[in-house]
């Protein structure tokens, strides 16, 4: 038979799964048999599956590096005037909103709702020139924002949304709880300077907070848990939390045209950057301890995975969506963590941005907007000394004076004095997580009707059907699977016989796909096939962390029941490809 007619679907080579388990052992069988007619002898030794994944990894890392230069094709910036510039990037802004899942209509703004019938009964704390309240505000569907509102005496100079890291609470950013140094309690410092400050609650990395139906309590990090269910629905945890920020902007904006800014640290810096990129009403944006090159995004927590992000956006490109508004990049030390990947979660590394990379990314953003009349829209602030402290005076002062040119940063006072027991931070986080999970479930229930509106093939005839589904194939390939359009290499099939059974013969097969990328699998050919005879071919898939040998019965496996071999015994040709989701986290670059 001629292997040149055999094709391994490209999709098998670009699919990555989101769940992880321990890797399998190396293939134990001896490889000494002859090649199939018309093919070269396969001489690769060792674990071919490992070499396949390593080659895919090299290919994808190269593609990631090349994506920086390739992003220009998606942009057509008009720097002739600020208005022309904003108009010229609207398509990019819409694309960003789409991949973030920011596609649901927000609720009509009704202001920040104090969590009591009379606000004065619910003053949580008092500081120098301001009071602290527990508030919530409507966002969309079942989702509300919830956090702390710092209200200054007199008319505020502006509204600021101060977003903590996923490892921090609003109380810490205000100074009502330990954990953040006084000089970095940015929420109260801005309130002391006359800003009305909202500090939203964001979902933590901590696991074990949500109980699922049946009493099961997931230990997966909270952010990853909600990311998983949202991602397959075209939504995203980042998108939901950005919607909370934008709903807060709605509340501020309806009051006397109050100028609004946003500041965030760590995960809050991520949300600050995305929110500023999506909403030009945010006149000043501070990103602290996050802004960086994103070529190693695949190493970061998996809840930061955004489909197709690097094809069009790095942090510099996101920054250019904020222009000509003011962006302040604070090169502070960011949160550092190692996520082990226990309990079925994805392993990850959270590293602090390096100043050289931050500086280079800021310079790249400036270069991308060269010629814009407001060329001083982006500002890099480095903390004094080597402390790396976030929320330093220069960043806060630039934020305040951007919102109100006559304002100034007040000297750092004392933390506010609590007036009662306050809000239970854990119960508040659980409420927020349950609301997002409920929203995901609602979208899921509505998804059959959404698909029905989307997928409308012509069933008047077989030919009409085939023609009408072609556009859907293209959408699936480009917007769901993420197909590469590179021209594939000649197959160059290499084979060797590795099994001789009563009814079939087994061969290892390696094919070339792209530079560094091979396809590998096991081909089982019935022994009674005649020269020139054609038989149906069945592609037999294995699952996560599996190998082709699992489906032919080399080792007993309760799930597979050696079904590839059993089909071969019945006269079918079977091909069991090695899929790339193996070796725990080595396939993260696929995502």
């Amino acid at each position: 038979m001629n292997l040149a007619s055999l094709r391994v679907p490209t999709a098998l080579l670009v699919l990555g799964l989101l769940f992880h388990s321990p890797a399998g052992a190396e293939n134990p069988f001896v490889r000494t048999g002859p090649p199939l007619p018309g093919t070269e002898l396969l001489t690769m030794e060792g674990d071919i599956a490992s070499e396949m994944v390593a080659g895919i990894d090299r290919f994808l890392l190269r593609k990631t590096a090349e994506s920086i230069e390739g992003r220009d094709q998606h942009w057509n910036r008009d720097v002739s005037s600020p208005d022309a510039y904003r108009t010229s990037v609207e398509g990019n802004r819409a694309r960003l909103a789409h991949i973030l899942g920011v596609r649901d209509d927000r609720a009509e703004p009704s202001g920040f709702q104090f969590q009591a019938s009379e606000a004065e009964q619910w003053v949580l704390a008092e500081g120098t020139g301001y009071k602290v309240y527990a508030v919530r505000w409507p966002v969309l569907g079942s989702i509300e924002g919830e956090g702390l509102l710092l209200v200054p005496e007199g008319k505020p100079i502006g509204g600021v949304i101060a977003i903590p890291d996923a490892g921090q609470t609003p109380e810490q950013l205000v100074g009502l709880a330990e954990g953040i140094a006084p000089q970095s309690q940015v929420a109260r410092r801005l309130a002391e300077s006359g800003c009305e400050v909202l500090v939203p609650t964001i979902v933590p990395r901590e696991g074990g907070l949500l109980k699922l139906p049946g009493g099961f309590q997931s230990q997966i990090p909270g952010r990853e848990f909600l990311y998983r269910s949202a991602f397959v629905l075209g939504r995203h945890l980042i998108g939901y939390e950005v919607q909370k920020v934008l709903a807060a902007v709605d509340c501020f904006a309806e009051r006397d045209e109050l100028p609004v800014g946003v500041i965030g640290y760590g995960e809050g810096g991520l949300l600050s950057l995305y929110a500023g990129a999506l909403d030009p009403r945010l006149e000043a944006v501070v990103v602290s301890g996050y802004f960086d090159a994103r070529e190693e995004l695949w190493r970061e927590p998996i809840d930061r995975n955004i489909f197709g992000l690097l094809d069009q956006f790095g942090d510099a490109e996101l920054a250019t969506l904020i222009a000509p508004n003011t962006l302040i990049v604070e090169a502070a030390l960011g949160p550092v963590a190692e996520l082990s990947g226990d309990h079925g979660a994805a392993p990850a590394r959270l590293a602090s941005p390096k100043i050289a990379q931050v500086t280079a990314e800021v310079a790249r953003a400036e270069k991308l907007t060269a010629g814009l009349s407001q060329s001083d829209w982006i500002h890099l602030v480095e903390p004094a000394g080597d402390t790396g402290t976030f929320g330093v005076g220069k960043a806060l002062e630039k934020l305040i004076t951007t919102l109100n040119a006559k304002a100034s940063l007040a000297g750092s006072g004392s933390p506010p004095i609590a007036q009662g027991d306050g809000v239970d931070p854990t119960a508040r986080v659980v409420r927020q997580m349950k609301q997002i999970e409920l929203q995901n479930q609602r979208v899921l229930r509505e998804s059959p009707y959404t698909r029905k509106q989307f997928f409308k093939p012509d069933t008047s005839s077989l030919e009409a059907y085939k023609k009408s589904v072609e556009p859907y194939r293209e959408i699936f390939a480009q917007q769901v699977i993420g197909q590469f359009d590179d021209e594939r290499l000649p197959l160059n099939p290499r084979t060797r016989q590795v099994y001789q059974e009563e009814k079939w013969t087994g061969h290892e097969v390696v094919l070339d796909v792209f530079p560094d990328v091979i396809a590998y699998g096991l081909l089982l050919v019935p022994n009674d096939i005649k020269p020139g005879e054609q038989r149906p071919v069945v592609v037999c898939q294995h699952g996560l962390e599996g190998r082709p040998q699992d489906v032919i019965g080399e080792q007993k496996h309760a799930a597979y029941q050696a079904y590839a071999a059993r089909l071969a015994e019945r006269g079918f040709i079977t091909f069991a490809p090695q899929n790339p989701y193996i070796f725990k986290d080595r396939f993260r670059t696929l995502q």
Side-chain angles (χ1 to χ4, degrees), residues 472-493:
Y472 296 106
R473 292 187 197 278
E474 182 68 13
I475 290 170
F476 182 71
Q478 298 296 335
Q479 299 183 31
V480 180
I481 294 297
Q483 173 178 291
F484 286 105
D485 293 325
D486 300 44
E487 184 176 350
R488 289 199 292 271
L489 298 172
L491 289 175
N492 184 26

Side-chain angles (χ1 to χ4, degrees), residues 218-434:
S218 172
Q219 297 300 317
I220 294 172
R223 299 191 67 80
E224 179 179 346
F225 180 85
L226 294 174
Y227 153 84
R228 288 185 178 192
S229 54
F231 191 88
V232 294
L233 296 168
R235 304 302 192 273
H236 203 293
L237 174 61
I238 292 174
Y240 284 140
E241 295 197 315
V242 165
Q243 287 277 49
K244 291 183 183 183
V245 175
L246 302 187
V249 176
D250 296 339
C251 293
F252 277 127
E254 68 175 356
R255 298 198 346 243
D256 302 325
E257 298 184 352
L258 194 68
V260 186
V262 62
I263 179 172
Y265 170 70
E267 217 67 36
L270 173 153
L271 296 173
S272 182
L273 179 62
Y274 283 118
L278 289 180
D279 198 331
R281 294 178 301 171
L282 287 164
E283 298 181 27
V285 176
V286 181
V287 178
S288 179
Y290 174 77
F291 199 82
D292 202 352
R294 292 291 157 210
E295 282 64 69
E296 292 197 349
L297 179 59
W298 63 274
R299 294 184 187 273
E300 298 179 38
I302 201 169
D303 52 273
R304 293 182 176 183
N305 272 17
I306 301 168
F307 181 84
L309 178 72
L310 297 183
D311 184 49
Q312 192 167 141
F313 306 101
D315 281 10
E317 286 79 13
L318 292 170
T320 67
L321 288 176
I322 295 172
N325 290 351
T326 298
L327 171 62
I328 301 122
V329 175
E330 186 179 49
L333 293 177
V336 176
E338 289 284 342
L339 281 66
S340 66
D342 295 338
H343 310 292
R349 183 185 70 187
L350 200 60
S352 180
K354 296 179 180 178
I355 184 63
Q357 292 184 176
V358 178
T359 302
E361 198 71 2
V362 168
R364 203 163 65 80
E366 291 177 319
K367 184 178 180 181
L368 291 172
T369 57
L372 187 63
S373 58
Q374 291 176 253
S375 58
D376 62 341
W377 62 274
I378 187 167
H379 305 266
L380 177 61
V381 175
E382 297 183 41
D386 59 356
T387 61
T389 304
F390 75 93
V392 298
K394 288 183 179 179
L396 298 186
E397 188 164 4
K398 184 61 182 177
L399 169 62
I400 288 173
T401 55
T402 300
L403 297 179
N404 188 316
K406 297 180 180 179
S408 60
L409 181 65
S412 180
S414 301
I417 299 174
Q419 302 297 304
D421 294 334
V423 178
D424 182 345
T426 301
R428 182 178 58 203
V429 161
V430 171
R431 284 195 298 272
Q432 295 280 280
M433 293 179 69
K434 285 182 175 179

Side-chain angles (χ1 to χ4, degrees), residues 40-62:
E40 298 293 327
L41 177 65
L42 175 61
T43 59
M44 293 178 68
E45 297 297 335
D47 190 345
I48 299 179
S50 180
E51 177 55 33
M52 186 193 82
V53 172
I56 291 173
D57 189 59
R58 291 192 298 272
F59 172 79
L60 292 168
L61 289 176
R62 187 167 63 249

